[in-house]
Amino acid sequence: MKFIRGFKNMFSDAIYTILLVAIAVFSLINALGNTSDLMPFLAMFVPLLLILISAVGLQLKGKTLAAHLVLLLTVFLGAGRTFIYAITSFSFESMSFTANFSVEMLIAFIIFVYLFLVVASYLLVGNTGAHLGKSQVLISATIAFVYFFFRDGFSVAVLKILPPLVALMFGSDFFAIVLLLAGVADVPFLLLDYIFLATIFEQPVSYFLFTAFGLYLIYGAIIALLKRPK
């Protein structure tokens, strides 16, 4: 426990920034080979890029806890579960692991542990400086939560809205908006994919309603970003 509490003091702000940038680069490189189709790739890559920009931006503003927590919640939350599942997938019948191991999986797990230790260290010590004050972005976040809830369900809505709330709690409305934008940035690319595949008219009415509102949220987020200083 003492090790975890003191973990946040192991590195300087400069080292934290270098580590965050390195993690961002790894995440981008790791995402490049996920799909060969352009629109699905952009639907995955653009939100990821916005998340990484937000995390690095928060770190550059001295919000180390917020930066690491955003990355943990958005990009590496599943890395721990994936690795634990892999190492516990040993089958005595075949005397082998049923899961496929990879270097990327190991690196992602190491990053997960690092992010978890940083976040846990700050939380155990206390005095995180987090405070959710009044903000117009909070209203937008509430609207976005309702949108995600009806489109994807409660659990997805919570995971989508937590990162913007983290940014808000650390006084960064700008990056909160960027993270809200990341939650819907896939909408236009998936729409274009359906159009190019000529399957757009096979989609239900609900898809058009959610897509239209998603595009509206994107428009609102971009306008808000253009009007706000970083």
Side-chain angles (χ1 to χ4, degrees), residues 140-173:
S140 300
T142 303
I143 295 172
F145 176 81
V146 174
Y147 168 76
F148 293 132
F149 172 75
F150 284 108
R151 191 188 72 171
D152 303 310
F154 180 76
S155 59
V156 173
V158 170
L159 288 175
K160 289 270 192 180
I161 214 66
L162 275 179
L165 286 181
V166 169
L168 281 176
M169 291 171 67
F170 285 87
S172 180
D173 287 12

PDB file of all heavy atoms in Angstrom, residues 140-173:
ATOM      1  N   SER A 140     -24.471  20.000 -21.708  1.00  0.00           N
ATOM      2  CA  SER A 140     -24.211  19.238 -22.933  1.00  0.00           C
ATOM      3  C   SER A 140     -23.889  17.788 -22.614  1.00  0.00           C
ATOM      4  O   SER A 140     -24.314  16.873 -23.331  1.00  0.00           O
ATOM      5  CB  SER A 140     -23.053  19.871 -23.707  1.00  0.00           C
ATOM      6  OG  SER A 140     -23.345  21.200 -24.070  1.00  0.00           O
ATOM      7  N   ALA A 141     -23.138  17.579 -21.532  1.00  0.00           N
ATOM      8  CA  ALA A 141     -22.789  16.219 -21.126  1.00  0.00           C
ATOM      9  C   ALA A 141     -24.034  15.436 -20.718  1.00  0.00           C
ATOM     10  O   ALA A 141     -24.152  14.236 -21.011  1.00  0.00           O
ATOM     11  CB  ALA A 141     -21.789  16.257 -19.978  1.00  0.00           C
ATOM     12  N   THR A 142     -24.963  16.107 -20.061  1.00  0.00           N
ATOM     13  CA  THR A 142     -26.211  15.454 -19.665  1.00  0.00           C
ATOM     14  C   THR A 142     -27.024  15.048 -20.891  1.00  0.00           C
ATOM     15  O   THR A 142     -27.567  13.936 -20.958  1.00  0.00           O
ATOM     16  CB  THR A 142     -27.046  16.392 -18.774  1.00  0.00           C
ATOM     17  OG1 THR A 142     -26.273  16.778 -17.635  1.00  0.00           O
ATOM     18  CG2 THR A 142     -28.320  15.701 -18.315  1.00  0.00           C
ATOM     19  N   ILE A 143     -27.099  15.947 -21.863  1.00  0.00           N
ATOM     20  CA  ILE A 143     -27.814  15.636 -23.111  1.00  0.00           C
ATOM     21  C   ILE A 143     -27.142  14.466 -23.824  1.00  0.00           C
ATOM     22  O   ILE A 143     -27.813  13.548 -24.324  1.00  0.00           O
ATOM     23  CB  ILE A 143     -27.856  16.877 -24.023  1.00  0.00           C
ATOM     24  CG1 ILE A 143     -28.680  17.985 -23.368  1.00  0.00           C
ATOM     25  CG2 ILE A 143     -28.432  16.521 -25.393  1.00  0.00           C
ATOM     26  CD1 ILE A 143     -28.629  19.306 -24.107  1.00  0.00           C
ATOM     27  N   ALA A 144     -25.810  14.492 -23.858  1.00  0.00           N
ATOM     28  CA  ALA A 144     -25.067  13.409 -24.506  1.00  0.00           C
ATOM     29  C   ALA A 144     -25.304  12.084 -23.784  1.00  0.00           C
ATOM     30  O   ALA A 144     -25.433  11.031 -24.421  1.00  0.00           O
ATOM     31  CB  ALA A 144     -23.578  13.741 -24.535  1.00  0.00           C
ATOM     32  N   PHE A 145     -25.364  12.130 -22.451  1.00  0.00           N
ATOM     33  CA  PHE A 145     -25.613  10.904 -21.683  1.00  0.00           C
ATOM     34  C   PHE A 145     -26.969  10.305 -22.049  1.00  0.00           C
ATOM     35  O   PHE A 145     -27.090   9.082 -22.239  1.00  0.00           O
ATOM     36  CB  PHE A 145     -25.560  11.194 -20.187  1.00  0.00           C
ATOM     37  CG  PHE A 145     -25.903  10.003 -19.330  1.00  0.00           C
ATOM     38  CD1 PHE A 145     -24.949   9.032 -19.066  1.00  0.00           C
ATOM     39  CD2 PHE A 145     -27.181   9.846 -18.810  1.00  0.00           C
ATOM     40  CE1 PHE A 145     -25.259   7.918 -18.292  1.00  0.00           C
ATOM     41  CE2 PHE A 145     -27.502   8.740 -18.041  1.00  0.00           C
ATOM     42  CZ  PHE A 145     -26.540   7.780 -17.780  1.00  0.00           C
ATOM     43  N   VAL A 146     -27.977  11.148 -22.140  1.00  0.00           N
ATOM     44  CA  VAL A 146     -29.313  10.664 -22.516  1.00  0.00           C
ATOM     45  C   VAL A 146     -29.278  10.049 -23.915  1.00  0.00           C
ATOM     46  O   VAL A 146     -29.874   8.991 -24.166  1.00  0.00           O
ATOM     47  CB  VAL A 146     -30.339  11.812 -22.453  1.00  0.00           C
ATOM     48  CG1 VAL A 146     -31.697  11.350 -22.981  1.00  0.00           C
ATOM     49  CG2 VAL A 146     -30.473  12.325 -21.025  1.00  0.00           C
ATOM     50  N   TYR A 147     -28.555  10.700 -24.817  1.00  0.00           N
ATOM     51  CA  TYR A 147     -28.404  10.185 -26.188  1.00  0.00           C
ATOM     52  C   TYR A 147     -27.745   8.808 -26.185  1.00  0.00           C
ATOM     53  O   TYR A 147     -28.239   7.861 -26.814  1.00  0.00           O
ATOM     54  CB  TYR A 147     -27.587  11.179 -27.005  1.00  0.00           C
ATOM     55  CG  TYR A 147     -27.107  10.654 -28.338  1.00  0.00           C
ATOM     56  CD1 TYR A 147     -27.986  10.533 -29.415  1.00  0.00           C
ATOM     57  CD2 TYR A 147     -25.778  10.284 -28.522  1.00  0.00           C
ATOM     58  CE1 TYR A 147     -27.547  10.057 -30.640  1.00  0.00           C
ATOM     59  CE2 TYR A 147     -25.332   9.812 -29.740  1.00  0.00           C
ATOM     60  CZ  TYR A 147     -26.218   9.696 -30.799  1.00  0.00           C
ATOM     61  OH  TYR A 147     -25.782   9.217 -32.012  1.00  0.00           O
ATOM     62  N   PHE A 148     -26.623   8.689 -25.478  1.00  0.00           N
ATOM     63  CA  PHE A 148     -25.914   7.407 -25.424  1.00  0.00           C
ATOM     64  C   PHE A 148     -26.758   6.334 -24.736  1.00  0.00           C
ATOM     65  O   PHE A 148     -26.712   5.164 -25.116  1.00  0.00           O
ATOM     66  CB  PHE A 148     -24.581   7.562 -24.685  1.00  0.00           C
ATOM     67  CG  PHE A 148     -23.584   8.412 -25.410  1.00  0.00           C
ATOM     68  CD1 PHE A 148     -22.896   9.423 -24.745  1.00  0.00           C
ATOM     69  CD2 PHE A 148     -23.330   8.223 -26.756  1.00  0.00           C
ATOM     70  CE1 PHE A 148     -21.971  10.208 -25.407  1.00  0.00           C
ATOM     71  CE2 PHE A 148     -22.408   9.008 -27.431  1.00  0.00           C
ATOM     72  CZ  PHE A 148     -21.728  10.007 -26.754  1.00  0.00           C
ATOM     73  N   PHE A 149     -27.518   6.756 -23.723  1.00  0.00           N
ATOM     74  CA  PHE A 149     -28.351   5.803 -22.994  1.00  0.00           C
ATOM     75  C   PHE A 149     -29.394   5.168 -23.912  1.00  0.00           C
ATOM     76  O   PHE A 149     -29.557   3.943 -23.940  1.00  0.00           O
ATOM     77  CB  PHE A 149     -29.039   6.496 -21.817  1.00  0.00           C
ATOM     78  CG  PHE A 149     -30.069   5.645 -21.126  1.00  0.00           C
ATOM     79  CD1 PHE A 149     -29.682   4.609 -20.292  1.00  0.00           C
ATOM     80  CD2 PHE A 149     -31.423   5.868 -21.330  1.00  0.00           C
ATOM     81  CE1 PHE A 149     -30.631   3.812 -19.657  1.00  0.00           C
ATOM     82  CE2 PHE A 149     -32.376   5.080 -20.706  1.00  0.00           C
ATOM     83  CZ  PHE A 149     -31.980   4.046 -19.867  1.00  0.00           C
ATOM     84  N   PHE A 150     -30.098   5.978 -24.669  1.00  0.00           N
ATOM     85  CA  PHE A 150     -31.133   5.447 -25.553  1.00  0.00           C
ATOM     86  C   PHE A 150     -30.537   4.728 -26.763  1.00  0.00           C
ATOM     87  O   PHE A 150     -31.143   3.801 -27.297  1.00  0.00           O
ATOM     88  CB  PHE A 150     -32.063   6.568 -26.018  1.00  0.00           C
ATOM     89  CG  PHE A 150     -33.046   6.999 -24.969  1.00  0.00           C
ATOM     90  CD1 PHE A 150     -32.916   8.220 -24.336  1.00  0.00           C
ATOM     91  CD2 PHE A 150     -34.097   6.170 -24.605  1.00  0.00           C
ATOM     92  CE1 PHE A 150     -33.822   8.616 -23.360  1.00  0.00           C
ATOM     93  CE2 PHE A 150     -35.008   6.551 -23.631  1.00  0.00           C
ATOM     94  CZ  PHE A 150     -34.871   7.779 -23.003  1.00  0.00           C
ATOM     95  N   ARG A 151     -29.346   5.145 -27.183  1.00  0.00           N
ATOM     96  CA  ARG A 151     -28.733   4.504 -28.353  1.00  0.00           C
ATOM     97  C   ARG A 151     -28.013   3.209 -28.005  1.00  0.00           C
ATOM     98  O   ARG A 151     -28.124   2.207 -28.721  1.00  0.00           O
ATOM     99  CB  ARG A 151     -27.743   5.466 -29.021  1.00  0.00           C
ATOM    100  CG  ARG A 151     -27.268   4.994 -30.390  1.00  0.00           C
ATOM    101  CD  ARG A 151     -26.153   5.856 -30.937  1.00  0.00           C
ATOM    102  NE  ARG A 151     -24.893   5.642 -30.220  1.00  0.00           N
ATOM    103  CZ  ARG A 151     -23.712   6.145 -30.617  1.00  0.00           C
ATOM    104  NH1 ARG A 151     -23.655   6.899 -31.704  1.00  0.00           N
ATOM    105  NH2 ARG A 151     -22.621   5.921 -29.916  1.00  0.00           N
ATOM    106  N   ASP A 152     -27.269   3.212 -26.892  1.00  0.00           N
ATOM    107  CA  ASP A 152     -26.379   2.086 -26.600  1.00  0.00           C
ATOM    108  C   ASP A 152     -26.628   1.403 -25.264  1.00  0.00           C
ATOM    109  O   ASP A 152     -26.035   0.359 -24.994  1.00  0.00           O
ATOM    110  CB  ASP A 152     -24.916   2.561 -26.632  1.00  0.00           C
ATOM    111  CG  ASP A 152     -24.549   3.193 -27.964  1.00  0.00           C
ATOM    112  OD1 ASP A 152     -24.823   2.571 -29.000  1.00  0.00           O
ATOM    113  OD2 ASP A 152     -23.997   4.306 -27.956  1.00  0.00           O
ATOM    114  N   GLY A 153     -27.437   2.001 -24.393  1.00  0.00           N
ATOM    115  CA  GLY A 153     -27.669   1.397 -23.091  1.00  0.00           C
ATOM    116  C   GLY A 153     -26.920   2.118 -21.979  1.00  0.00           C
ATOM    117  O   GLY A 153     -26.046   2.958 -22.224  1.00  0.00           O
ATOM    118  N   PHE A 154     -27.253   1.758 -20.746  1.00  0.00           N
ATOM    119  CA  PHE A 154     -26.742   2.477 -19.581  1.00  0.00           C
ATOM    120  C   PHE A 154     -25.228   2.343 -19.416  1.00  0.00           C
ATOM    121  O   PHE A 154     -24.528   3.332 -19.176  1.00  0.00           O
ATOM    122  CB  PHE A 154     -27.445   1.982 -18.314  1.00  0.00           C
ATOM    123  CG  PHE A 154     -26.976   2.661 -17.062  1.00  0.00           C
ATOM    124  CD1 PHE A 154     -27.385   3.952 -16.767  1.00  0.00           C
ATOM    125  CD2 PHE A 154     -26.110   2.019 -16.185  1.00  0.00           C
ATOM    126  CE1 PHE A 154     -26.947   4.592 -15.610  1.00  0.00           C
ATOM    127  CE2 PHE A 154     -25.669   2.646 -15.033  1.00  0.00           C
ATOM    128  CZ  PHE A 154     -26.088   3.935 -14.746  1.00  0.00           C
ATOM    129  N   SER A 155     -24.707   1.121 -19.520  1.00  0.00           N
ATOM    130  CA  SER A 155     -23.281   0.904 -19.261  1.00  0.00           C
ATOM    131  C   SER A 155     -22.414   1.657 -20.259  1.00  0.00           C
ATOM    132  O   SER A 155     -21.400   2.269 -19.880  1.00  0.00           O
ATOM    133  CB  SER A 155     -22.950  -0.591 -19.298  1.00  0.00           C
ATOM    134  OG  SER A 155     -23.291  -1.156 -20.557  1.00  0.00           O
ATOM    135  N   VAL A 156     -22.798   1.637 -21.524  1.00  0.00           N
ATOM    136  CA  VAL A 156     -22.043   2.370 -22.542  1.00  0.00           C
ATOM    137  C   VAL A 156     -22.139   3.870 -22.294  1.00  0.00           C
ATOM    138  O   VAL A 156     -21.151   4.602 -22.420  1.00  0.00           O
ATOM    139  CB  VAL A 156     -22.548   2.025 -23.955  1.00  0.00           C
ATOM    140  CG1 VAL A 156     -21.882   2.922 -24.999  1.00  0.00           C
ATOM    141  CG2 VAL A 156     -22.278   0.564 -24.275  1.00  0.00           C
ATOM    142  N   ALA A 157     -23.331   4.323 -21.923  1.00  0.00           N
ATOM    143  CA  ALA A 157     -23.526   5.750 -21.652  1.00  0.00           C
ATOM    144  C   ALA A 157     -22.620   6.218 -20.522  1.00  0.00           C
ATOM    145  O   ALA A 157     -22.021   7.300 -20.594  1.00  0.00           O
ATOM    146  CB  ALA A 157     -24.989   6.024 -21.312  1.00  0.00           C
ATOM    147  N   VAL A 158     -22.499   5.404 -19.482  1.00  0.00           N
ATOM    148  CA  VAL A 158     -21.636   5.763 -18.346  1.00  0.00           C
ATOM    149  C   VAL A 158     -20.178   5.852 -18.792  1.00  0.00           C
ATOM    150  O   VAL A 158     -19.466   6.812 -18.462  1.00  0.00           O
ATOM    151  CB  VAL A 158     -21.790   4.735 -17.207  1.00  0.00           C
ATOM    152  CG1 VAL A 158     -20.726   4.961 -16.134  1.00  0.00           C
ATOM    153  CG2 VAL A 158     -23.178   4.834 -16.591  1.00  0.00           C
ATOM    154  N   LEU A 159     -19.724   4.851 -19.548  1.00  0.00           N
ATOM    155  CA  LEU A 159     -18.334   4.848 -20.003  1.00  0.00           C
ATOM    156  C   LEU A 159     -18.049   5.992 -20.977  1.00  0.00           C
ATOM    157  O   LEU A 159     -16.933   6.513 -21.025  1.00  0.00           O
ATOM    158  CB  LEU A 159     -18.005   3.507 -20.667  1.00  0.00           C
ATOM    159  CG  LEU A 159     -17.892   2.308 -19.718  1.00  0.00           C
ATOM    160  CD1 LEU A 159     -17.674   1.027 -20.508  1.00  0.00           C
ATOM    161  CD2 LEU A 159     -16.756   2.511 -18.720  1.00  0.00           C
ATOM    162  N   LYS A 160     -19.051   6.385 -21.740  1.00  0.00           N
ATOM    163  CA  LYS A 160     -18.872   7.488 -22.687  1.00  0.00           C
ATOM    164  C   LYS A 160     -18.798   8.835 -21.975  1.00  0.00           C
ATOM    165  O   LYS A 160     -18.075   9.740 -22.412  1.00  0.00           O
ATOM    166  CB  LYS A 160     -20.037   7.510 -23.680  1.00  0.00           C
ATOM    167  CG  LYS A 160     -20.049   6.376 -24.684  1.00  0.00           C
ATOM    168  CD  LYS A 160     -19.297   6.731 -25.937  1.00  0.00           C
ATOM    169  CE  LYS A 160     -19.553   5.728 -27.042  1.00  0.00           C
ATOM    170  NZ  LYS A 160     -18.807   6.061 -28.286  1.00  0.00           N
ATOM    171  N   ILE A 161     -19.556   8.966 -20.891  1.00  0.00           N
ATOM    172  CA  ILE A 161     -19.688  10.277 -20.256  1.00  0.00           C
ATOM    173  C   ILE A 161     -18.674  10.498 -19.138  1.00  0.00           C
ATOM    174  O   ILE A 161     -18.399  11.650 -18.757  1.00  0.00           O
ATOM    175  CB  ILE A 161     -21.130  10.463 -19.718  1.00  0.00           C
ATOM    176  CG1 ILE A 161     -21.559  11.932 -19.841  1.00  0.00           C
ATOM    177  CG2 ILE A 161     -21.255   9.973 -18.287  1.00  0.00           C
ATOM    178  CD1 ILE A 161     -21.678  12.407 -21.256  1.00  0.00           C
ATOM    179  N   LEU A 162     -18.104   9.438 -18.588  1.00  0.00           N
ATOM    180  CA  LEU A 162     -17.144   9.594 -17.495  1.00  0.00           C
ATOM    181  C   LEU A 162     -15.904  10.404 -17.890  1.00  0.00           C
ATOM    182  O   LEU A 162     -15.493  11.300 -17.138  1.00  0.00           O
ATOM    183  CB  LEU A 162     -16.733   8.224 -16.955  1.00  0.00           C
ATOM    184  CG  LEU A 162     -17.646   7.605 -15.896  1.00  0.00           C
ATOM    185  CD1 LEU A 162     -17.122   6.235 -15.475  1.00  0.00           C
ATOM    186  CD2 LEU A 162     -17.757   8.513 -14.679  1.00  0.00           C
ATOM    187  N   PRO A 163     -15.274  10.132 -19.034  1.00  0.00           N
ATOM    188  CA  PRO A 163     -14.087  10.924 -19.398  1.00  0.00           C
ATOM    189  C   PRO A 163     -14.348  12.426 -19.501  1.00  0.00           C
ATOM    190  O   PRO A 163     -13.561  13.221 -18.957  1.00  0.00           O
ATOM    191  CB  PRO A 163     -13.657  10.316 -20.739  1.00  0.00           C
ATOM    192  CG  PRO A 163     -14.168   8.908 -20.683  1.00  0.00           C
ATOM    193  CD  PRO A 163     -15.473   9.000 -19.968  1.00  0.00           C
ATOM    194  N   PRO A 164     -15.434  12.870 -20.172  1.00  0.00           N
ATOM    195  CA  PRO A 164     -15.709  14.313 -20.167  1.00  0.00           C
ATOM    196  C   PRO A 164     -15.935  14.865 -18.768  1.00  0.00           C
ATOM    197  O   PRO A 164     -15.507  15.985 -18.463  1.00  0.00           O
ATOM    198  CB  PRO A 164     -16.983  14.431 -21.021  1.00  0.00           C
ATOM    199  CG  PRO A 164     -16.983  13.226 -21.880  1.00  0.00           C
ATOM    200  CD  PRO A 164     -16.363  12.147 -21.063  1.00  0.00           C
ATOM    201  N   LEU A 165     -16.590  14.085 -17.908  1.00  0.00           N
ATOM    202  CA  LEU A 165     -16.808  14.539 -16.536  1.00  0.00           C
ATOM    203  C   LEU A 165     -15.488  14.679 -15.786  1.00  0.00           C
ATOM    204  O   LEU A 165     -15.315  15.602 -14.981  1.00  0.00           O
ATOM    205  CB  LEU A 165     -17.733  13.564 -15.795  1.00  0.00           C
ATOM    206  CG  LEU A 165     -19.213  13.601 -16.179  1.00  0.00           C
ATOM    207  CD1 LEU A 165     -20.001  12.596 -15.350  1.00  0.00           C
ATOM    208  CD2 LEU A 165     -19.789  14.999 -16.003  1.00  0.00           C
ATOM    209  N   VAL A 166     -14.561  13.767 -16.050  1.00  0.00           N
ATOM    210  CA  VAL A 166     -13.235  13.863 -15.422  1.00  0.00           C
ATOM    211  C   VAL A 166     -12.564  15.173 -15.828  1.00  0.00           C
ATOM    212  O   VAL A 166     -12.011  15.893 -14.986  1.00  0.00           O
ATOM    213  CB  VAL A 166     -12.355  12.662 -15.826  1.00  0.00           C
ATOM    214  CG1 VAL A 166     -10.900  12.889 -15.410  1.00  0.00           C
ATOM    215  CG2 VAL A 166     -12.886  11.383 -15.190  1.00  0.00           C
ATOM    216  N   ALA A 167     -12.607  15.481 -17.123  1.00  0.00           N
ATOM    217  CA  ALA A 167     -12.014  16.739 -17.594  1.00  0.00           C
ATOM    218  C   ALA A 167     -12.695  17.942 -16.949  1.00  0.00           C
ATOM    219  O   ALA A 167     -12.028  18.910 -16.553  1.00  0.00           O
ATOM    220  CB  ALA A 167     -12.107  16.817 -19.116  1.00  0.00           C
ATOM    221  N   LEU A 168     -14.016  17.884 -16.827  1.00  0.00           N
ATOM    222  CA  LEU A 168     -14.751  18.978 -16.188  1.00  0.00           C
ATOM    223  C   LEU A 168     -14.363  19.125 -14.723  1.00  0.00           C
ATOM    224  O   LEU A 168     -14.212  20.242 -14.215  1.00  0.00           O
ATOM    225  CB  LEU A 168     -16.257  18.733 -16.295  1.00  0.00           C
ATOM    226  CG  LEU A 168     -16.930  19.057 -17.629  1.00  0.00           C
ATOM    227  CD1 LEU A 168     -18.401  18.669 -17.586  1.00  0.00           C
ATOM    228  CD2 LEU A 168     -16.783  20.538 -17.958  1.00  0.00           C
ATOM    229  N   MET A 169     -14.202  18.000 -14.043  1.00  0.00           N
ATOM    230  CA  MET A 169     -13.863  18.033 -12.620  1.00  0.00           C
ATOM    231  C   MET A 169     -12.481  18.622 -12.369  1.00  0.00           C
ATOM    232  O   MET A 169     -12.185  19.075 -11.260  1.00  0.00           O
ATOM    233  CB  MET A 169     -13.949  16.619 -12.035  1.00  0.00           C
ATOM    234  CG  MET A 169     -15.372  16.072 -11.953  1.00  0.00           C
ATOM    235  SD  MET A 169     -15.437  14.324 -11.503  1.00  0.00           S
ATOM    236  CE  MET A 169     -14.824  14.391  -9.817  1.00  0.00           C
ATOM    237  N   PHE A 170     -11.651  18.629 -13.408  1.00  0.00           N
ATOM    238  CA  PHE A 170     -10.320  19.215 -13.264  1.00  0.00           C
ATOM    239  C   PHE A 170     -10.203  20.546 -14.009  1.00  0.00           C
ATOM    240  O   PHE A 170      -9.107  20.990 -14.342  1.00  0.00           O
ATOM    241  CB  PHE A 170      -9.256  18.225 -13.727  1.00  0.00           C
ATOM    242  CG  PHE A 170      -9.020  17.110 -12.752  1.00  0.00           C
ATOM    243  CD1 PHE A 170      -9.783  15.959 -12.797  1.00  0.00           C
ATOM    244  CD2 PHE A 170      -8.064  17.233 -11.749  1.00  0.00           C
ATOM    245  CE1 PHE A 170      -9.589  14.933 -11.887  1.00  0.00           C
ATOM    246  CE2 PHE A 170      -7.860  16.214 -10.834  1.00  0.00           C
ATOM    247  CZ  PHE A 170      -8.629  15.058 -10.901  1.00  0.00           C
ATOM    248  N   GLY A 171     -11.354  21.144 -14.268  1.00  0.00           N
ATOM    249  CA  GLY A 171     -11.382  22.509 -14.773  1.00  0.00           C
ATOM    250  C   GLY A 171     -11.066  22.701 -16.232  1.00  0.00           C
ATOM    251  O   GLY A 171     -10.684  23.806 -16.636  1.00  0.00           O
ATOM    252  N   SER A 172     -11.220  21.665 -17.050  1.00  0.00           N
ATOM    253  CA  SER A 172     -10.910  21.808 -18.469  1.00  0.00           C
ATOM    254  C   SER A 172     -12.165  21.592 -19.311  1.00  0.00           C
ATOM    255  O   SER A 172     -12.446  20.480 -19.762  1.00  0.00           O
ATOM    256  CB  SER A 172      -9.815  20.819 -18.889  1.00  0.00           C
ATOM    257  OG  SER A 172      -9.517  20.967 -20.263  1.00  0.00           O
ATOM    258  N   ASP A 173     -12.908  22.665 -19.518  1.00  0.00           N
ATOM    259  CA  ASP A 173     -14.099  22.585 -20.365  1.00  0.00           C
ATOM    260  C   ASP A 173     -13.731  22.219 -21.800  1.00  0.00           C
ATOM    261  O   ASP A 173     -14.465  21.488 -22.471  1.00  0.00           O
ATOM    262  CB  ASP A 173     -14.838  23.922 -20.355  1.00  0.00           C
ATOM    263  CG  ASP A 173     -15.565  24.173 -19.042  1.00  0.00           C
ATOM    264  OD1 ASP A 173     -15.314  23.417 -18.074  1.00  0.00           O
ATOM    265  OD2 ASP A 173     -16.369  25.110 -18.973  1.00  0.00           O
TER     266      ASP A 173
END
